[in-house]
Amino acid sequence: MLIVENAHVTFPVAQTKKWPWSPPGLVHAVNGISFELEAGKTLGIVGESGCGKSTLIRAVAGLAPLVSGNVTLDGEPVAYRDRASMQRLRATMQMIFQDPIASLNPRMTIREIVVEPLTFFKPEMGAEERQNTALAMLDRVGIPSTQANRFPHEFSGGQCQRIGIARALVAGPKVLLCDEPVSALDVSIQAQVVNLLKELQREMGLAIVFVAHDLGVVRHISDEVLVMYMGAPMERAPAADLVSDPKHPYAQALLSAVPVPDPRVRITPQMLEGDLPSPLNLPSGCLFASRCPKAMAKCKTARPPMIRHGQHQAACFLLEDAPMEADSMA
Ligand code: SF4
């Protein structure tokens, strides 16, 4: 359904120039991300704030320009399109956002908000059919249609995120891009929204890209997880494998910081020391070398490729010599 190949995104930034004719700096926000996603499956993307997760899904949606690489949606190229031809594809790929309240127009009723995509993407629908479809979608996400004439400020954050989901799904997209959709919500509401997304995925056969910085939430919804650092892939594996046995030192550190709701289990979070490299001037070696507790001499000079190890792929030289367990070889 969705194929991303070696995506790169950079942004020019103003910086103190050494000479008036020096070129502007370039922030390397996304550096060589690839993945494929089938219908009905979820890819979770995790990493620290600022690691390029949101920029990546904005690039997948055509909202941030790729400088190289490709994005293909259901066989059609997405990147490098003009605005008019992109609009047709937007019906197939929709987004939900981190701040549920700010993502809804405060001057529109929730009925108008959910009808709007149908007006735009399905002009062949009659007015009454549009209204009925929007009200049915609101009911499906748990907002009674009797409240359809209210404004967003009359709802809680969790309810606003449900309205955002209704708006995204009402026109029947095939791919849903979720940009930290639960990080602004209470823990109990997070679970309700994640379960709602899973139910809707089963009913509609949606492919979901779910971005979060909380590995605990991501493992609950994802079939596969991609760990990003400085815009680059560090590890990719089925969710259960990544959580039970992460191979990359960065994935291990992230996982050690996930709280375990059992007072008998004591986990000491692995503190990462050292500085992040500058995204304006990426090192030629491993991007994680300045903070990696297992760094070797060659990590400073050569960039590790993604190395397959059983169900895992990780950008780490340690995997070159790692023994393969019997079950993962099978
Ligand atoms: Fe650490 Fe080296 Fe592996 Fe990078 S390649 S994660 S620095 S051990």
Side-chain angles (χ1 to χ4, degrees), residues 65-259:
L66 289 180
V67 290
S68 64
N70 267 311
V71 177
T72 313
L73 172 64
D74 206 10
E76 279 200 70
V78 174
Y80 318 114
R81 281 175 172 259
D82 60 29
R83 191 183 165 94
S85 68
M86 192 63 215
Q87 285 191 347
R88 185 175 52 80
L89 273 184
R90 291 231 163 90
T92 321
M93 183 157 54
Q94 286 287 299
M95 274 183 90
I96 53 177
F97 300 92
Q98 180 174 11
D99 187 336
I101 297 169
S103 67
L104 302 177
N105 187 334
R107 295 173 194 276
M108 294 168 78
T109 63
I110 63 166
R111 175 202 298 268
E112 291 167 336
I113 287 170
V114 180
V115 165
E116 193 177 39
L118 294 173
T119 311
F120 193 73
F121 294 125
K122 305 219 168 198
E124 71 281 3
M125 266 189 174
E128 191 179 343
E129 189 183 358
R130 280 202 288 267
Q131 295 287 330
N132 292 340
T133 307
L135 294 180
M137 194 70 222
L138 280 171
D139 270 329
R140 178 60 196 88
V141 299
I143 304 292
S145 52
T146 49
Q147 300 180 4
N149 292 329
R150 295 189 179 180
F151 289 87
H153 74 267
E154 297 176 72
F155 295 90
S156 67
Q159 287 174 315
C160 284
Q161 197 55 289
R162 287 171 186 267
I163 297 162
I165 292 170
R167 177 183 58 183
L169 298 186
V170 72
K174 295 177 180 172
V175 174
L176 184 63
L177 305 171
C178 306
D179 187 6
E180 307 216 24
V182 295
S183 56
L185 306 178
D186 294 342
V187 175
S188 58
I189 308 295
Q190 287 184 5
Q192 291 174 14
V193 171
V194 166
N195 288 337
L196 174 65
L197 283 172
K198 287 173 79 171
E199 286 169 21
L200 291 166
Q201 180 179 44
R202 272 195 296 276
E203 289 168 21
M204 302 174 72
L206 284 170
I208 297 182
V209 180
F210 191 96
V211 166
H213 56 253
D214 182 347
L215 198 47
V217 173
V218 166
R219 76 178 165 191
H220 184 61
I221 190 170
S222 305
D223 297 287
E224 202 174 25
V225 176
L226 171 68
V227 180
M228 282 178 69
Y229 181 78
M230 297 300 299
M234 293 291 115
E235 181 164 355
R236 184 178 160 197
D241 294 271
L242 191 121
V243 169
S244 61
D245 184 22
K247 301 292 183 197
H248 195 283
Y250 178 61
Q252 291 165 358
L254 273 189
L255 202 70
S256 76
V258 176

